[in-house]
Amino acid sequence: MAAQASTAQIIRQLLEGPVARPALLRWRRKHFLAKEGFGFYFGLFDSFAAARACLPPTPEFNNDALATEFVEVRTRQVFAYDYPVMWWLDRAFRHGARSVLDIGGSVGVHYYAYRLYMEMPPDLTWLVVELPVIVSMGRKLMTERPSAGLAFTDDLEEALTSAGADIWISAGALQYMEDARPGDLLKRSREMPMHLLLNKLPLYEGDDFVTTQNIGEGCFAPLHVFNGDRLIHGVEALGYTLRDRWAVHERSLYLPGYPERSFPSFTGLYFVAGS
């Protein structure tokens, strides 16, 4: 087994080396742009603008076809990476939290799925911030399923500067937003939350960078990859304490041509205001 791993490592090092890298990247880009490249990452960029300039024009996530799985699957079940979030969410509710701001919460996937596995306060309010197409789908879904306390908006700035929420949740969304580093969002808010739950973040030990992803249905999007320590320290500097950190093994990032920028799992974080 060790010999096989060593052989695979040697082959990858040869492919990623300066001689073979140009051919590898040409082949990888062609595969990345194809339907079979769904979920793949490609390219190293300084900004979202530079990344978009190298992509076919698409609506990115503002596409109802991309939300089909969320309506049919993710509103009805949870996954392994959801359990730490539900654990801390339940404790927050038990300590009196009654309002949630869910940034990038799709059609209300966390609201619908989590209540199947845990008890929600009857007076809970849950605001989802999403793209216009997804907001429209979420509101339609509300007419088909019980959804007391759930609401949607496509205006992030209004959500940040209106009445503060006790809990902020964002799972796998902030990296796709051009200006949404958690510390910066907190600074822009009128009232910072007591609890901050961030899940499925691409964190690693190197420098921040921008790459692109094939997100399916012929759509592509730029995304940030963050230095983990810098992101955490940016939140802690605002008076928060990191209470929990977990690996999201269902997500990984392999960047062709840049093995030093690749990592085996994404990350979840829970912060609480104060010490």
Side-chain angles (χ1 to χ4, degrees), residues 11-233:
I11 292 173
R12 172 163 287 188
Q13 288 174 346
L14 290 172
L15 290 173
E16 301 281 6
V19 176
R21 181 179 294 177
L24 170 69
L25 292 180
R26 286 194 297 271
W27 178 80
R28 284 288 187 178
R29 176 171 171 79
K30 183 178 180 180
H31 190 201
F32 168 78
L33 294 172
K35 182 178 180 180
E36 296 74 20
F38 168 62
F40 285 23
Y41 302 90
F42 188 85
L44 183 63
F45 306 94
D46 294 327
S47 67
F48 270 38
R52 286 192 175 106
C54 292
L55 291 172
T58 72
E60 298 180 17
F61 284 98
N62 201 27
N63 179 349
D64 57 3
L66 291 172
T68 301
E69 178 195 359
F70 292 89
V71 173
E72 297 178 354
V73 177
R74 299 197 185 192
T75 59
R76 302 181 187 277
Q77 70 179 82
V78 299
F79 298 84
Y81 50 70
D82 287 306
Y83 282 95
V85 176
M86 290 193 297
W87 165 262
W88 290 112
L89 193 60
D90 180 67
R91 290 178 66 87
F93 290 155
R94 291 175 185 272
H95 285 85
R98 290 296 181 269
S99 54
V100 174
L101 176 62
D102 189 350
I103 301 173
S106 187
V107 295
V109 289
H110 307 121
Y111 170 88
Y112 288 114
Y114 289 2
R115 69 182 186 177
L116 299 175
Y117 295 79
M118 59 182 289
E119 185 175 350
M120 300 283 197
D123 55 343
L124 177 67
T125 61
W126 193 299
L127 178 62
V128 175
V129 181
E130 259 296 356
L131 296 166
V133 167
I134 310 303
V135 166
S136 178
M137 293 183 68
R139 288 173 175 161
K140 179 178 183 297
L141 189 62
M142 287 174 62
T143 67
E144 303 168 1
R145 302 186 192 180
S147 51
L150 180 63
F152 289 86
T153 181
D154 62 5
D155 191 332
L156 175 61
E157 291 306 314
E158 182 182 26
L160 293 176
T161 56
S162 61
D166 301 319
I167 305 165
W168 283 14
I169 294 176
S170 190
L174 297 185
Q175 60 263 36
Y176 297 103
M177 301 166 68
E178 193 159 2
D179 185 22
R181 182 179 291 275
D184 294 339
L185 291 180
L186 290 165
K187 291 176 185 176
R188 282 153 54 189
S189 65
R190 190 180 85 177
E191 183 179 345
M192 294 191 295
M194 175 63 67
H195 309 273
L196 181 61
L197 282 158
L198 306 175
N199 208 8
K200 295 183 285 184
L201 281 173
L203 306 183
Y204 85 128
E205 296 179 355
D207 294 332
D208 291 6
F209 67 93
V210 174
T211 187
T212 61
Q213 186 180 14
N214 181 329
I215 58 176
E217 301 295 337
C219 294
F220 305 86
L223 71 152
H224 292 286
V225 176
F226 303 105
N227 173 272
D229 288 343
R230 180 185 170 201
L231 183 142
I232 290 168
H233 293 159

